[in-house]
Amino acid sequence: MNRIAVSISRGIARVTDAALGPYQTAVIRIGFAATWLLFLLREFPHRQEMYGPDGPWKWDLAQRLVADNHAFTILMWSDSQVWFETVYALAVLSALLLLVGWRTRTMSVLFMVGVLSLQNRSIFMGDGGDNVIHLMAIYLVFTRCGQVWSLDARRARLAREARARGDLPRAGAQDRVGLVLWAALGLLLAAATGAGRLSPGWLMIFWGLWAVQALWWAVGRLARTAEPRILLDVIANAVHNAALLVIMAEACLIYATAGWYKIQGSRWQDGTAVYYPLHLDYFSPWPALSDLLASHGTIVMLVTYGTVAVQVAFPFTLINRRVKNVLLAAMMTEHAVIAVVLGLPFFSLAMIAADAVFLPTSFLRRLGGWAARARGRLFPPGARKLPGQRAQGPRTPEPAEDPHVGFTA
């Protein structure tokens, strides 16, 4: 019984003491924000036909659809052109700011609002990659995805250094931008609530997130002891780790269901499922390349059966790190090939971003080091330095978050 109690206590301590997978969640944040941002920019000339008033799914049909499935979309608040352009610009801006990690807690919520608003306006415009972005945008809200590789992490590090020098008298006192952002969003939320635009469920979610931001800042600024701060950290870590587990389970579920459904398909059984898409004009951006691949029956058969085998086996390989890494590299390579051969870049980017949650931490740290050195070569640090300050080369930020700065990662 003592051994069981010790094991349980260690497990609870591991889940609550720290937000696990800081580099993995950072990669997920960057990957999905970049995918959505590139998609919106790529489809900017066609935005009216896809999600706007000029689309085949007209305003009346969209109203009936939303009333039936109760999907969330702020695009249905008004049919004016100005409102549509505003929402589209919000989606682009929130994706960009989430990508660089600026106020990630707030931007993750706005990113979710942009994704849900556009996708739920015209649900027939998307594919499997859009579904993955749809789900991950919701999960990211509950993660502490700005611990590393973000402007929030940089600001937190500078704040710690300033407090160590005695330049910052009180934690959270300098976060005026966060206060202004929080107040502005509170006013917008109050206006939407007064106009009756939000359902009771979404009202509870948005007002709850807004109140949590206020509580987080107030504890960091006003608490006289460390206990309230520790309690909030424990809760935030537990929520983050639960969301990370859900993301991993979601990725496994996607591959497992896709693989088992492929097994039941006759075209996947006879090895020709990859052959037919190569002859469709819609999936042939490079006809010569598609014809070249389709002309080799053995390669087509191996790719067909290999895809099924990898997708079915992947969830079971998580118990073996080396085998998992091999299959992970194979799946990412497969998605890269799909992006080029079948002309589905955003679907492939979304799936690669979802796969990134399983990347080893050591590899991600090395990747961050390579990026830091490349940045140092492109933007060398200035020659001026403070008295007594030693010159430092570029380095990868440590996975430490300082929520005392307020309204950050």
Side-chain angles (χ1 to χ4, degrees), residues 16 69 83 113 131 167 174 191 206 225 245 252 292:
T16 58
N69 61 14
W83 179 247
V113 170
N131 294 334
D167 296 339
Q174 303 298 319
F206 287 129
T225 61
L245 178 62
C252 292
L292 178 63

Tab-separated table of all heavy atoms in Angstrom, residues 16 69 83 113 131 167 174 191 206 225 245 252 292:
chain	number	residue	atom	x	y	z
A	16	THR	N	1.131	18.126	-11.707
A	16	THR	CA	0.813	19.459	-11.197
A	16	THR	C	2.015	20.366	-11.002
A	16	THR	O	1.850	21.585	-10.908
A	16	THR	CB	0.069	19.331	-9.858
A	16	THR	OG1	0.896	18.603	-8.922
A	16	THR	CG2	-1.256	18.604	-10.043
A	69	ASN	N	-27.475	23.417	-36.235
A	69	ASN	CA	-26.369	22.712	-35.584
A	69	ASN	C	-25.778	23.466	-34.394
A	69	ASN	O	-24.875	22.969	-33.734
A	69	ASN	CB	-25.260	22.409	-36.598
A	69	ASN	CG	-24.676	23.665	-37.218
A	69	ASN	OD1	-24.883	24.781	-36.748
A	69	ASN	ND2	-23.933	23.483	-38.302
A	83	TRP	N	-18.373	44.110	-41.631
A	83	TRP	CA	-18.234	43.125	-40.567
A	83	TRP	C	-17.457	41.899	-41.040
A	83	TRP	O	-16.610	41.361	-40.322
A	83	TRP	CB	-19.599	42.715	-40.046
A	83	TRP	CG	-19.560	41.678	-38.969
A	83	TRP	CD1	-20.009	40.404	-39.026
A	83	TRP	CD2	-19.009	41.833	-37.648
A	83	TRP	NE1	-19.788	39.740	-37.848
A	83	TRP	CE2	-19.186	40.605	-36.977
A	83	TRP	CE3	-18.412	42.894	-36.976
A	83	TRP	CZ2	-18.766	40.415	-35.672
A	83	TRP	CZ3	-17.995	42.689	-35.669
A	83	TRP	CH2	-18.176	41.459	-35.029
A	113	VAL	N	-11.676	31.867	-31.982
A	113	VAL	CA	-12.847	32.587	-32.475
A	113	VAL	C	-12.769	32.758	-33.990
A	113	VAL	O	-13.756	32.557	-34.709
A	113	VAL	CB	-12.967	33.959	-31.773
A	113	VAL	CG1	-14.037	34.818	-32.439
A	113	VAL	CG2	-13.300	33.770	-30.305
A	131	ASN	N	-10.627	20.277	-40.396
A	131	ASN	CA	-11.190	19.656	-39.195
A	131	ASN	C	-10.147	19.561	-38.079
A	131	ASN	O	-10.461	19.776	-36.903
A	131	ASN	CB	-11.730	18.265	-39.525
A	131	ASN	CG	-12.913	18.318	-40.467
A	131	ASN	OD1	-13.627	19.313	-40.516
A	131	ASN	ND2	-13.119	17.264	-41.225
A	167	ASP	N	15.214	46.569	-10.918
A	167	ASP	CA	14.618	47.586	-11.782
A	167	ASP	C	13.100	47.498	-11.832
A	167	ASP	O	12.438	48.461	-12.236
A	167	ASP	CB	15.173	47.453	-13.206
A	167	ASP	CG	16.662	47.729	-13.255
A	167	ASP	OD1	17.158	48.383	-12.316
A	167	ASP	OD2	17.322	47.288	-14.215
A	174	GLN	N	4.241	46.456	-14.470
A	174	GLN	CA	4.567	47.104	-15.719
A	174	GLN	C	3.734	46.598	-16.895
A	174	GLN	O	3.980	47.011	-18.019
A	174	GLN	CB	6.060	46.897	-16.017
A	174	GLN	CG	6.994	47.404	-14.932
A	174	GLN	CD	6.867	48.889	-14.716
A	174	GLN	OE1	6.743	49.643	-15.667
A	174	GLN	NE2	6.886	49.310	-13.462
A	191	ALA	N	-20.558	44.169	-24.693
A	191	ALA	CA	-21.444	44.618	-25.768
A	191	ALA	C	-22.125	43.433	-26.454
A	191	ALA	O	-23.328	43.475	-26.756
A	191	ALA	CB	-20.653	45.433	-26.785
A	206	PHE	N	-16.522	32.394	-22.326
A	206	PHE	CA	-15.767	33.623	-22.557
A	206	PHE	C	-15.639	34.465	-21.290
A	206	PHE	O	-14.567	35.003	-21.000
A	206	PHE	CB	-16.417	34.439	-23.674
A	206	PHE	CG	-16.220	33.845	-25.042
A	206	PHE	CD1	-17.290	33.650	-25.893
A	206	PHE	CD2	-14.961	33.476	-25.472
A	206	PHE	CE1	-17.110	33.112	-27.143
A	206	PHE	CE2	-14.771	32.923	-26.729
A	206	PHE	CZ	-15.847	32.734	-27.570
A	225	THR	N	1.485	36.476	-0.054
A	225	THR	CA	2.176	35.205	0.160
A	225	THR	C	2.221	34.427	-1.146
A	225	THR	O	1.554	34.769	-2.125
A	225	THR	CB	1.461	34.361	1.236
A	225	THR	OG1	0.115	34.073	0.794
A	225	THR	CG2	1.401	35.118	2.549
A	245	LEU	N	-2.639	15.856	-23.235
A	245	LEU	CA	-3.020	14.453	-23.372
A	245	LEU	C	-4.144	14.288	-24.394
A	245	LEU	O	-4.143	13.346	-25.204
A	245	LEU	CB	-3.447	13.899	-22.014
A	245	LEU	CG	-3.922	12.442	-21.994
A	245	LEU	CD1	-2.802	11.505	-22.443
A	245	LEU	CD2	-4.419	12.060	-20.604
A	252	CYS	N	-3.683	10.260	-32.266
A	252	CYS	CA	-3.742	8.797	-32.381
A	252	CYS	C	-5.087	8.335	-32.928
A	252	CYS	O	-5.160	7.410	-33.757
A	252	CYS	CB	-3.483	8.153	-31.021
A	252	CYS	SG	-1.803	8.347	-30.400
A	292	LEU	N	4.083	9.903	-63.847
A	292	LEU	CA	5.295	9.117	-63.596
A	292	LEU	C	5.093	8.145	-62.444
A	292	LEU	O	5.479	6.969	-62.517
A	292	LEU	CB	6.458	10.059	-63.308
A	292	LEU	CG	7.804	9.405	-62.963
A	292	LEU	CD1	8.300	8.580	-64.146
A	292	LEU	CD2	8.831	10.449	-62.562
